[in-house]
Amino acid sequence: MISYFSDYIDSHKQKGELVVQPRMGFSRYKLMKQGLRATQRANAVTVGTLTLDSYTRVGDYEAATLALQNNQDINGYPIVSYGAEKTQRLLHGLQSASFPVQVRHGTALPLRVFQEMVDSNIDATEGGPVSYCLPYSQLPLKDAMQGWEAAVSHLASSQNILAHIESFAGCMLGQLCPPSLLIALNILECLFFKELGIQSVSLSYAQGTNLIQDYSALRVLRHLADKYLSDMRWHVVVYSYMGVFPNTFDGANKLIQNSASLASMTGCERLIVKTKVESQRIPLISENVEALALAYAASKQRLDLSFDNDEYLVILKEAENLIQAVLSENVDLSEAMLEAFKKGILDVPYCLHKDNKGLAKTIIDKKGYLKWANVGEMPLSLERNQKQAVTANAFLEMLSYVKQHYDEGV
Amino acid sequence: MKVVVSSISSDSHTWNLIYMQLLMEEFGFDVVNLGSCVSYDELIKQCHHVKPDLLLVSTVNGHGFIEGENIAEKLKNYPMLRRMKSVIGGKLSTKGAADNEAIDKLYAAGFDGVFMGEQSIPLFKAFLIKHQLIMKETA
C-alpha cells in the first residue's frame, strides 16, 4: 500500500527538516513533468504538487478536455481529462518514497478527481466539505457535505493507497480570520475525515498579520490536534501569507522566509510557499524553485519571537468553545456542522456564501493581531469595547496591512 | 434604499464585493450581496425578488466590459426593473487603461453609471447624490 506522503513527512520530521512544497499546475504534459522534476531537484527537502485547473475544479471535464484537444493552455493539470494511464506515465521515475506527490485543487464535489487519484496511485490530496465549499463555490453546504462523504469514503476504501487528506480549513478565505475559528474548522474537518476511515491527515494554517499571534495559534493547533486526533497520523502544514502580497522582491522574500522560520520553530512539518512574483503573476518553474530554496534555508533560522501566553489561552478557549458547541449539536458530525453554520455558531468573517451567517467581522488590533470585531451568534465573548463596526476604509487598509508592513520595512 | 451588489458570472473574487457592501451600508443602504460567479438568470431573479433601487455590479477579473454589456441588454427585457438604476465598476478590462469606446458601449447598453480608475469612488458618491440615492448631508 502506497503511503509515500505520510512516511516522507514522518521521516523528515525525525531529522528536524521542514518539508517545503510549491503550488504548481500545467496542462501541458511536458511542462508538468519538467516542473515536478525541478521541484524534486531543488536545493531543499520537497514534495511535488499537481495543481488542477479550474474547469476540472468546477466539474466541467468536457471544457478541460476540449482545451487539451485544441492545444490551449489552461491554468492547471486536468487529471480527469488525461486519465490514470497518462498520469501514471507522468509520474513514472518521479513519484516515489523519496519524492511524494500531492494533488491540490479546490473542488467542492471531488469524487471524480479522487477516483483518478486512486487509479493513478497518488496517495495525498487536500480540501474538506467546508473549506472547499464556503470560500469559492455557490454549491449548498449540504451538497458539499454529501459529496465529500462519498469521495472521502472512496479514498479510505482504496486498496492501493493509504490516503492522506490535508484540511484546507487553516486558509478558508485566505486572510482576515481570527485563528481560533481556523483551528476549530481544522479539527472538525479532520474528525470528519477520521469518521470516514482516513488514517492520515494534516491541519493547515495560513500565516496571519502578526508572527507572535501565529506562534501562539500554532501551539494551540498542535495541542488540540494531539487531543482530538491522537489515534491518527497527523502533521501541520503552514501556508505562506495568502493575502495581498508585497510588491517589492525584498518584502516578498522576507515574508516567505518568516513563514518558513515560523513553521520550523513551532515544530510544524511542512510549508506551502509563495514566490516573490506573487503580486504580479503565476510563477515560472524557476521562480518556484528559488522560493523553495529560500524557504528551506530560512527554516534553519529561528525567529526572535516572544511567546504570548495570554494570547495562547484566549485562542485555546475560543477554539475549544467552538469545537464543543458544534459537537454538541448532533451525534452525526455532518449534521452537526450543517446545523452550526445554519445557526451561526460557526461564521466565517467576510464569507459571502449563502450558507454562511455573515455576521462575524474581524479587525486588526493595535498589536497587529487578528481579533473579532463582531462574533455574531458564535459562542465567544468579546471584551468591553471590542465590538465595533468595520468601515469600508478600515477594511481596505486591513487587506494591505501585511503588504505595507513588508514593502516599507516597517 | 435597497441595493443589490453582485459580481459577474466568471468572476470569483469577493474582496471587492465586501468593500462595496461596507461602503453602501455606510451610505445607509440595505444591502443584498449576491457574491461571486452570479449567473445572468440568478441576477435577474434576485433583482425581481429584492426590487432594489440600485443594482451595483462590481468586478475585477477583466471581463466586466464583455459581461456588463450582456447584463444591461438582458435587463432591458424586464419592464418591472425599469425603475431600478444600475451601475458597474472595478477592473473592467484585461488591459490597464480605460477604454472610452467600451465605456460608451456600457452606457449605450443601459448602465446609468460606469466607474473605473482611481477616482471611481468619489465619482460614484457624486452619482448617488445626483440621483438622490443618498442625501447630501449624510455623505
Side-chain angles (χ1 to χ4, degrees), chain A residues 1 27 46 61 79 85 112 145 172 239 242 337 358:
Chain A
M1 229 191 193
S27 52
T46 60
Y61 313 122
I79 196 171
E85 201 194 308
R112 231 13 226 100
M145 204 66 75
M172 293 308 291
Y239 300 160
M242 304 272 293
M337 285 195 278

Side-chain angles (χ1 to χ4, degrees), chain A residues 145 149 187-193 195 326-327 330-338:
Chain A
M145 204 66 75
E149 278 167 13
I187 298 291
L188 291 167
E189 281 199 335
C190 286
L191 287 173
F192 175 88
F193 300 148
E195 249 173 52
V326 174
L327 294 180
N330 199 305
V331 288
D332 180 291
L333 185 55
S334 297
E335 282 306 313
M337 285 195 278
L338 288 170

Side-chain angles (χ1 to χ4, degrees), chain A residues 329-330 334-346:
Chain A
E329 275 297 310
N330 199 305
S334 297
E335 282 306 313
M337 285 195 278
L338 288 170
E339 215 28 57
F341 274 104
K342 196 160 161 205
K343 291 182 178 173
I345 289 167
L346 296 171

Side-chain angles (χ1 to χ4, degrees), chain A residues 382-399:
Chain A
L382 285 172
E383 280 171 26
R384 206 142 49 99
N385 301 326
Q386 194 180 342
K387 184 173 182 177
Q388 57 198 274
V390 179
T391 65
N393 276 339
F395 180 73
L396 265 191
E397 276 171 22
M398 287 198 286
L399 291 177

Side-chain angles (χ1 to χ4, degrees), chain A residues 135-136 138 173-176 349-352 354 361 390-393 395-396 399, chain B residues 12 14-19 21-23 25-26 33-38 42 46:
Chain A
Y136 305 118
Q138 296 264 354
L173 301 185
Q175 57 178 328
L176 299 186
Y350 310 119
C351 173
L352 295 174
K354 283 193 182 71
K361 296 270 189 295
V390 179
T391 65
N393 276 339
F395 180 73
L396 265 191
L399 291 177
Chain B
S12 61
T14 55
W15 301 107
N16 54 308
L17 300 170
I18 295 159
Y19 172 76
Q21 173 165 355
L22 290 172
L23 191 70
E25 282 170 354
E26 275 172 45
N33 197 328
L34 302 185
S36 61
C37 296
V38 180
E42 180 66 15
Q46 290 297 332

